Amino acid sequence: MTDTDRLRRLLGGPDTAWLVRRVRRRLERGRPLTGTVTLAGAAPGQRRAAELLLGRRAGTGTSLSVSLTEVDRVLRASGACAGGLAGAVEVLDGPVRDLAREQAEAAAAWNAAFAPLDEAVAARPEMAEWRGRLDSSGLVRRLASGPGEAAGMLRHLAAVARALPAGGIPLGRFAAETCGNAHALDDGRPLATLALSCARAIAGLPFRADGGAGSRREAWAAVGVHLDELSSTVLCVGLPGDAGTATGRMLAAMRGEPVSLTLRQLRRHTAPMRAGLVRVCENPIVLTAASDALGPACPPLVCGNGRPSAAVWRLLELLAGGGAEFAYHGDFDWGGVAIAAAVRDRVGWRPWRYDATAYREAASGTPLAGRPSPTPWDPALAPAMAERGVRVEEEQVLPDLITDLAGVTRAG
């Protein structure tokens, strides 16, 4: 039984509101209503209200202390509220939330939302750090209103993760195949932000929530997805070309000059390209220097320009289809090693001054940073880089690379 009028006189006024709030917070957190609560700087009205409630002087001083056990006893004994202090708070201020239960239910709902993504990345160690960052950064929770909305988003993100890296596919088609909507990964959508961060993780690029158009294009291209057929390009020089196709005729006419081929051109070139031994480098400066030094006599050279784009992969596959063999050189840093490994996995190559011996002979004072990567083409290279601790960029060994290319020309 509750005598509501008496209860409001004892505990429902503005001068006891602080006490009701303190009790509610304790109940919401599952703490017992025992011990004492203290109000610093209590006003005279608050002190008189406590005295009326307890039936005795509330002491002196600037602070006011009230025993919760005593308040509970008074409310029960006076008939104001048979449910004691806990019941009184609900009568005066509405039902008390069970925060522990709510938090447990929310945690379970979020775990269920993330379950498809966790299953998709469980066997992919290269994605472990990214998955952890999704939690630590709170990115998903900022993009979704709650676990219910996040569940569908993360289910599509899991499909994206399973499908990457792709084999050179337009973004719209990739979105339709993985998310059931060709516009699901359009720039500005929450899922697109998450998918782009996933692509960065798979490509070994730094974690970030978003970036400019060029940054997004680079990240998607690195995992075989292109935003359009004209923005994805590849630089090459010295490819012999042919007389029977438009791209072949252009290459033949531009022999000795660097050429930029678009993915659109290469997709329409269906015949294999025949070029014998093709050297592959990481940086455009190598092509420029080779063209300047050797002109039309420059042997076939393709530039990955950092992370290979869809156009780079397409050109290498056309060359491989024509029987070409590849020799590879890149920067001696962990990012360069990861790029080299990706190219090796895709088309295979033999090292071109890209082994432990060449690394030790190259001069450099630039510190090596980043996470080590294996070098299966020369297992001694990775330990040598870790031990020496310096990076060597292609520009620093450019004379040696040009000498090698000139030697091919003279031998031919």
Side-chain angles (χ1 to χ4, degrees):
M1 297 278 302
T2 298
D3 186 337
T4 304
D5 290 339
R6 179 178 294 179
L7 177 61
R8 292 192 183 282
R9 287 196 302 271
L10 291 175
L11 198 61
D15 290 325
T16 54
W18 70 273
L19 178 58
V20 173
R21 286 194 298 271
R22 296 279 189 92
V23 173
R24 173 173 286 276
R25 283 200 294 269
R26 286 201 175 202
L27 291 171
E28 288 176 340
R29 288 160 176 75
R31 296 174 57 193
L33 299 184
T34 57
T36 314
V37 292
T38 300
L39 176 65
Q46 292 170 322
R47 188 176 299 280
R48 284 194 299 272
E51 291 174 348
L52 176 63
L53 173 63
L54 299 174
R56 61 172 177 78
R57 291 287 304 275
T60 59
T62 59
S63 63
L64 172 62
S65 295
V66 175
S67 166
L68 298 181
T69 303
E70 187 176 358
V71 172
D72 184 79
R73 180 189 60 76
V74 166
L75 294 176
R76 293 177 189 274
S78 67
C81 186
L85 184 54
V89 168
E90 291 202 334
V91 170
L92 295 171
D93 203 32
V96 174
R97 296 168 58 191
D98 185 344
L99 293 182
R101 177 182 57 78
E102 290 179 12
Q103 291 168 356
E105 289 176 350
W110 277 110
N111 288 338
F114 271 99
L117 180 62
D118 289 335
E119 181 181 352
V121 305
R124 302 184 66 172
E126 75 275 17
M127 302 183 72
E129 183 178 358
W130 168 74
R131 174 62 185 88
R133 282 183 176 271
L134 288 183
D135 286 337
S136 62
S137 68
L139 178 58
V140 176
R141 295 172 188 252
R142 293 199 304 272
L143 293 173
S145 60
E149 181 184 354
M153 192 186 309
L154 292 168
R155 194 164 53 249
H156 287 142
L157 183 60
V160 168
R162 289 192 184 94
L164 292 177
I169 182 173
L171 181 62
R173 180 177 151 199
F174 179 75
E177 292 180 356
T178 55
C179 307
N181 180 349
H183 297 287
L185 301 179
D186 286 356
D187 184 33
R189 297 197 174 198
L191 177 58
T193 299
L194 294 171
L196 183 62
S197 72
C198 176
R200 288 183 179 281
I202 293 171
L205 296 171
F207 179 90
R208 49 192 300 189
D210 206 340
S215 173
R216 291 193 294 273
R217 183 178 294 111
E218 176 191 7
W220 280 119
V223 292
V225 178
H226 58 86
L227 273 59
D228 61 77
E229 291 186 323
L230 297 180
S231 62
S232 182
T233 61
V234 55
L235 294 168
C236 58
V237 66
L239 295 182
D242 60 66
T245 66
T247 300
R249 287 192 294 272
M250 183 183 73
L251 289 171
M254 295 291 289
R255 190 74 181 262
E257 283 296 318
V259 175
S260 179
L261 299 175
T262 68
L263 180 60
R264 179 182 176 86
Q265 289 172 290
L266 293 169
R267 282 190 175 280
R268 282 155 177 73
H269 185 97
T270 57
M273 291 185 174
R274 306 191 184 281
L277 177 64
V278 178
R279 282 177 165 77
V280 181
C281 62
E282 186 179 338
N283 298 287
I285 186 64
V286 181
L287 264 78
T288 302
S291 178
D292 290 344
L294 304 174
C298 183
L301 180 61
V302 173
C303 176
N305 200 9
R307 296 277 169 182
S309 66
V312 173
W313 292 128
R314 174 65 178 168
L315 177 58
L316 294 179
E317 288 165 359
L318 287 171
L319 290 166
E325 296 182 356
F326 300 100
Y328 188 91
H329 189 277
D331 291 336
F332 284 106
D333 58 25
W334 298 124
V337 163
I339 294 170
V343 177
R344 182 175 181 268
D345 290 343
R346 192 85 167 247
V347 297
W349 49 258
R350 65 175 185 257
W352 171 28
R353 292 185 181 269
Y354 201 59
D355 52 23
T357 300
Y359 172 71
R360 291 191 183 98
E361 292 175 351
S364 176
T366 307
L368 178 65
R371 185 172 56 188
S373 296
T375 52
W377 61 91
D378 181 8
L381 174 58
M385 291 173 62
E387 178 183 357
R388 188 180 177 197
V390 298
R391 62 176 299 189
V392 180
E393 298 176 338
E394 283 189 307
E395 292 87 340
Q396 294 170 272
V397 295
L398 194 54
D400 293 332
L401 301 179
I402 301 304
T403 296
D404 290 346
L405 295 170
V408 173
T409 300
R410 287 193 297 271

